[in-house]
Amino acid sequence: MNISDSQLRVLLHTLGILQKKIGPTRNYFLAGRGHQDISHLYAMVNSGIMQIVETPKFVPQDSIVFAATDFGISVAMKNLPEDPKKTKKASIHAE
C-alpha cells in the first residue's frame, strides 16, 4: 500500500503515534469542512485506511470525525518513522 508522507503524518497523528516503540494511544481525527488535511482524510477514507464515525454531541455538528480502520492501523505500524537518535547533548541533559 502506498501512502503519501502527508497522509502518513495525518494517520500517525490520528493514532497518537510518535515513535516505533509506542503504539496507538487514540483513534480519532476531528476536522471541520475547511480543515487543511481534509483532502488527505477523504483520500484515506476512499482507500480504506480511515472511516468516518459518528460525531459526538459535545462537538460542533458540522465537524467530521475520522478514525483509522484496522487496515489503517496496520499501514501505520508498517510505516512508522525511525526513533529519533539520541544526541550527545540530549544524553547530557537526561542525566
Side-chain angles (χ1 to χ4, degrees):
M1 169 90 220
N2 289 335
I3 185 168
S4 73
D5 290 342
S6 295
Q7 290 174 344
L8 181 60
R9 176 187 51 79
V10 171
L11 181 59
L12 294 175
H13 175 78
T14 299
L15 295 169
I17 298 174
L18 303 175
Q19 300 176 10
K20 276 195 176 213
K21 61 185 170 192
I22 301 172
T25 59
R26 64 173 177 255
N27 188 1
Y28 65 89
F29 192 111
L30 178 66
R33 300 207 181 272
H35 192 280
Q36 66 186 20
D37 291 319
I38 201 77
S39 63
H40 298 305
L41 291 159
Y42 277 119
M44 288 188 286
V45 167
N46 292 333
S47 64
I49 292 173
M50 300 278 277
Q51 60 187 336
I52 297 173
V53 297
E54 185 176 347
T55 303
K57 302 279 186 237
F58 61 87
V59 299
Q61 291 302 293
D62 62 342
S63 298
I64 307 164
V65 181
F66 297 85
T69 61
D70 289 341
F71 174 64
I73 293 170
S74 70
V75 169
M77 298 307 288
K78 289 177 186 171
N79 290 282
L80 290 173
E82 291 298 319
D83 290 338
K85 293 195 174 23
K86 287 189 176 182
T87 63
K88 186 174 182 180
K89 185 177 181 178
S91 297
I92 292 170
H93 291 291
E95 295 174 355

